[in-house]
Amino acid sequence: ETPNRREAHRTFRRAASRALFFRRDWMQSTSRRHHVVVGSGIAGVCCAKELRRCCPEDAITLVSATDTCKHVQDVVRVTDHLERFKVAEAGVNELETLGIDVAKGFACGLDAKKKVLQLQGGQAIQYSKMCICTGGRPKKILEHPRILTVRDTDSVISLCNCLKTARRILLVGNGGIALDVASSLVHLKVTWVMKHGHIGDAFFDRDAAEFLFQCLRFGKRNLQTVEKFELAGAEDRTTPMQGRGESPAMPSKVAGQAVGPKWSRILETVHGVADDKKGPNLASFNLEIVREAEIADVLLQHNDPEAPEDGFPVTVQLTNGDTYGVDYIISATGIVPNADWISKEDLKKGRNGNLLVNRTMQTTAPDVYAAGDVVECDSSWSQDGTHWFQMRLWSQAKQMGTHAAQCMAGVGTPEALGFNFELFTHVTKFAGKKVVLLGLYNGQNLDESEEGDMVTYCRSGDPRTEGDAATFVRVLLYRGRMQGAVLIGDTDLEEVFENLILDRLDLSAFGPSLLDPRIELDAIFD
């Protein structure tokens, strides 16, 4: 393929956008339909808004378990496929100004044959087509006030309040939430327990993980410039939402919408309680990492949630034989899908209980779609040569919700999926460093490749001597063609590497010099 492919890609997008309106006009001549979206997180809200754009004459109802919803704002396109955006929280009733009806309640049953959604309290909603975007809830070791999880805004506020009186904390898990917590609480006494051999196993290999750890250890912590985490009405959110009388009581197995990407910023200003009673040093590094271990047992010394005057209220025994006394355990071991209310007879589920969806986001029941963290992409998504894979991220929730709406409206096709989901991209921040992930950066979907077909090249700076200017770059090539890349820090290589992945050029002749900072790749491959 040639660089002209990129211009063809843009042309296809413009043509598809024009075709959307022509086909929509034809569809509006049919009878008025009722589309229902269940869930008010990013996937659900993006789906409802796109449905309103595609089907202006149809009725659209969003079912929300809370009084708030998450929406995307300040979208910045970094490259053709990579975009950066903010996640904001707003009152769910604001959707009504867009012509989207809101029904508050909890979905508890589905009759796919009769096309009826059942809500707690007896309310039933008839639908023409429905999209399930109920997300997931955090896995928890056990239910106790001293075992904390992070999922929604209320849980972040609760965590911050608990940390104000914490002397020692144990963090368990090794995904994105755990990385955020560890990065933000290095000034407190935190023991980070993980079953893997390096941090961030869900995202990084050992080399990238070691670089990030050095950034945590030696990076500057200028707390005066930390962007504040804004929580609307935070002073009124220290108690569960049902206490305000604005929505029905939330079942214990249901969490609110996932909190935004910058939620951890507020943790950086939490002081905690120092052992020497002088207060913690916010520029210090007190993070202890315990690798290749898991929690074997948790002993709660007191039934009441109040801490004792001396000693620690929680004792944790690890599989490596170590024992720790702590004030709180932060459990960040992943999520489970909020799909318990749907039987396997109604909709087919994957091995972890997620709803299986095909390339048009449709489940195994007619006119029932799903998007976001609640779904698992079935085998129809697997294609030779694709550089996309599923990972439960904000960017994919937005992407899936929008695509589901277009398929529900009849303007999305499996062929369009090839353009919308042809390349995995994600941009975020860990340890204060910009992180860009492109394509099959860790060799995803390449497990059956023969030894010698894959080669990686790596360039790593030294945070100890370079400080915040240090960068890390790693690329993966399969038979000479770039499959993925990991970029940490300000590398300015996102666009050129994205193009190299999609253009499938043979780069064998360049070898390690592909990462030579003296070579201007964008000039060579423009």
Side-chain angles (χ1 to χ4, degrees), residues 282-394:
L282 292 180
S284 64
F285 183 86
N286 295 310
L287 180 65
E288 176 189 5
I289 299 179
V290 181
R291 297 175 173 86
E292 298 180 343
E294 298 181 72
I295 292 180
D297 197 11
V298 177
L299 304 177
L300 303 169
Q301 307 296 340
H302 295 263
N303 293 327
D304 62 294
E306 299 299 325
E309 294 182 359
D310 53 1
F312 290 95
V314 182
T315 300
V316 181
Q317 296 178 352
L318 303 182
T319 52
N320 63 3
D322 293 344
T323 300
Y324 291 87
V326 298
D327 290 305
Y328 293 98
I329 298 174
I330 302 177
S331 178
T333 55
I335 64 172
V336 293
N338 283 327
D340 300 340
W341 55 280
I342 303 172
S343 69
K344 293 182 179 180
E345 289 72 25
D346 289 321
L347 301 178
K348 189 175 181 180
K349 298 182 180 181
R351 58 185 177 182
N352 295 320
N354 297 82
L355 302 178
L356 288 176
V357 294
N358 62 19
R359 292 168 60 82
T360 59
M361 309 307 298
Q362 189 165 359
T363 67
T364 50
D367 296 326
V368 178
Y369 299 73
D373 287 354
V374 75
V375 309
E376 176 182 331
C377 299
D378 67 15
S379 58
S380 67
W381 290 68
S382 300
Q383 285 187 341
D384 293 336
T386 184
H387 296 98
W388 187 89
F389 63 96
Q390 184 182 8
M391 200 171 190
R392 289 173 177 86
L393 302 167
W394 286 102

